[in-house]
Amino acid sequence: MLRRGVVSLLRRARGGQQQQQGLSNGSVPLHPPQARELGFCGSPSSSSCSRRNITYMPRPGDGAPRAVTLIPGDGIGPLVTGAVVEVMKALHAPVYFEAYEVTGKMDKVPHELMDSIRKNKVCLKGGLATPVGGGVSSLNVQLRKELDLFASLVHCFNLPGLRTRHDNVNIVVIRENTEGEYAGLEHEVVPGVVESLKVITKFCSERIAKYAFEYAYLNNRKTVTAVHKANIMKLADGLFLESCREVAKKYPGIKYNEIIVDNCCMQLVSRPEQFDVMVTPNLYGNLVANTAAGIAGGTGVMPGGNVGAEHAIFEQGASAGNVGNEKLVQQKTANPTALLLSSAMMLRHLQFPSFADRLEQAVLGVVEDGKHRTKDLGGSSTTQQVVDAVIAKLADNE
């Protein structure tokens, strides 16, 4: 069983490589001035080329309204996704939603949901609770594997008017999303002894490194830092570092650093302003992104998403601790800021930049005003009061 799982993972990696090579023939040109923060970029062409190709998704076309698959999710998910739908209507954004009721307690992602995402190419998702222990696998991980959403991006930054312990925080954490400890290759050898495999491949490591460097190039970022534990896991993390080093040579204009994951965590909480773009294997990226989010303002304000060669799922960038918070659900005081900013990322991904700009400016304007903030940001507003303030700000900015 375990061997078959490893073989399946390696076959998927080879298949993804063939798919990416095929997509590059019909790729969409995007010049660096067009790139925007809170957006996604894909794999690079040679650094000597004047044009760079984005292969993760074809251009949507003529600006016609786009269908977006919506997963309200568990806990605060329906509350914050409902907030996004209401704001999108007020914005008159050219998108409409196909909603599917899914819960993290399900054994498997429903076929009709997968069909919808494959058809629409884009999904907006509330949090899905993952049971601790037991035999139920995470639906979040299932979605990433089924759609080959190889890159997770979380943007952790200081919001205007929101006081935090550290200033000048502007970190983008780019995490490999399909292998590592999250491969799910575990079994019980004998009663009381469990073996869990960490799988690292050169293809997936190079793919995420290319994504990180191309993102840095297109968004005028100066430094990419690879996070690792190669001093202990010399082969697995060593292969990840080797892949990052090879890709870094193609980007001489971007500084490349390496840092051991435990030192990285200490540096994040002491001097986070030193980091720019961070590229990580799967597990480390989850830890680093949530730490960076806590430093910059909390999970309620950090946007993020997961992208593959053909599909993208946008969601709250860091979700530790608040998805299943029943008190927030009962009092209807969940912070919708993170998912609203993730929706701005989604609009840019769909090539609707003017709508994305308006939404982002309205959300950040409400945070900066400080009159309508949820409890996690030091206020007492409900989710609906924040939504109403964002809609009012949209009207003022017209």
Side-chain angles (χ1 to χ4, degrees):
M1 179 75 71
L2 192 61
R3 184 177 179 181
R4 287 200 299 270
V6 176
V7 171
S8 175
L9 187 69
L10 293 175
R11 284 176 177 170
R12 191 173 73 249
R14 286 197 292 268
Q17 187 174 23
Q18 294 168 358
Q19 180 187 39
Q20 189 180 49
Q21 290 170 347
L23 279 169
S24 63
N25 294 328
S27 57
V28 181
L30 179 67
H31 300 286
Q34 291 175 277
R36 287 293 311 272
E37 288 291 4
L38 299 179
F40 284 116
C41 64
S43 59
S45 58
S46 170
S47 60
S48 62
C49 294
S50 60
R51 296 175 64 188
R52 292 177 177 268
N53 292 328
I54 301 303
T55 59
Y56 68 83
M57 186 175 175
R59 187 179 297 278
D62 59 3
R66 289 291 305 274
V68 173
T69 304
L70 179 67
I71 306 175
D74 297 315
I76 67 168
L79 196 59
V80 293
T81 54
V84 169
V85 172
E86 187 174 348
V87 171
M88 286 289 190
K89 288 180 180 178
L91 181 63
H92 302 294
V95 297
Y96 59 94
F97 295 98
E98 297 177 359
Y100 290 84
E101 298 299 326
V102 178
T103 173
K105 295 179 181 179
M106 294 179 174
D107 293 333
K108 190 175 181 181
V109 178
H111 291 297
E112 57 270 23
L113 171 60
M114 295 302 301
D115 291 342
S116 176
I117 298 175
R118 289 193 172 102
K119 172 176 66 76
N120 296 332
K121 307 295 185 185
V122 177
C123 175
L124 184 70
K125 185 174 81 68
L128 287 173
T130 300
V132 177
V136 179
S137 63
S138 167
L139 260 61
N140 296 302
V141 174
Q142 286 184 37
L143 283 167
R144 296 166 195 160
K145 287 185 177 180
E146 287 289 327
L147 299 170
D148 195 24
L149 304 176
F150 67 87
S152 166
L153 185 150
V154 181
H155 188 193
C156 304
F157 61 102
N158 291 123
L159 276 68
L162 183 63
R163 294 186 60 185
T164 58
R165 185 182 296 271
H166 298 279
D167 297 324
N168 303 316
V169 177
N170 192 354
I171 303 170
V172 175
V173 181
I174 295 176
R175 160 192 173 194
E176 204 293 317
N177 228 5
T178 62
E179 55 180 17
E181 293 87 349
Y182 282 55
L185 301 174
E186 297 182 312
H187 71 152
E188 189 172 38
V189 182
V190 295
V193 179
V194 172
E195 185 176 57
S196 178
L197 289 185
K198 171 177 177 173
V199 177
I200 298 289
T201 64
K202 186 174 181 63
F203 168 71
C204 289
S205 298
E206 285 186 345
R207 180 170 64 167
I208 198 65
K210 290 175 183 177
Y211 185 95
F213 275 93
E214 188 69 2
Y215 180 92
Y217 179 86
L218 292 173
N219 287 284
N220 197 31
R221 295 280 184 153
K222 306 302 182 186
T223 306
V224 172
T225 301
V227 182
H228 67 95
K229 191 64 176 174
N231 58 324
I232 302 298
M233 284 169 275
K234 299 182 184 297
L235 293 180
D237 284 22
L239 177 58
F240 176 79
L241 277 188
E242 176 187 323
S243 302
C244 290
R245 289 167 184 168
E246 290 179 5
V247 173
K249 293 175 183 177
K250 302 176 183 178
Y251 294 83
I254 298 174
K255 184 179 179 181
Y256 171 66
N257 293 328
E258 297 171 356
I259 189 169
I260 296 174
V261 63
D262 39 1
N263 182 33
C264 174
C265 293
M266 184 190 71
Q267 295 292 331
L268 269 174
V269 298
S270 58
R271 292 197 307 118
E273 65 280 356
Q274 68 183 290
F275 294 107
D276 192 355
V277 174
M278 307 176 77
V279 59
T280 77
N282 207 334
L283 177 61
Y284 307 155
N286 190 22
L287 305 177
V288 168
N290 279 274
T291 302
I295 290 165
T299 59
V301 295
M302 297 302 145
N306 305 277
V307 67
E310 296 183 13
H311 311 94
I313 294 181
F314 296 88
E315 60 186 332
Q316 185 172 309
S319 59
N322 69 350
V323 171
N325 191 321
E326 289 299 325
K327 189 174 181 181
L328 293 178
V329 177
Q330 294 168 3
Q331 297 178 351
K332 297 184 178 180
T333 55
N335 191 344
T337 302
L339 201 61
L340 286 169
L341 291 175
S342 298
S343 300
M345 292 174 66
M346 180 186 74
L347 289 172
R348 288 201 182 93
H349 183 77
L350 292 172
Q351 302 293 330
F352 299 131
S354 61
F355 289 94
D357 289 344
R358 287 186 58 210
L359 175 57
E360 183 181 303
Q361 290 167 10
V363 173
L364 296 180
V366 169
V367 174
E368 186 173 15
D369 289 347
K371 298 176 182 177
H372 298 90
R373 292 181 178 177
T374 48
K375 187 176 180 179
D376 58 316
L377 301 185
S380 59
S381 298
T382 64
T383 306
Q384 188 60 50
Q385 287 172 334
V386 175
V387 169
D388 292 341
V390 171
I391 293 174
K393 185 70 71 173
L394 285 170
D396 292 341
N397 293 341
E398 283 184 344

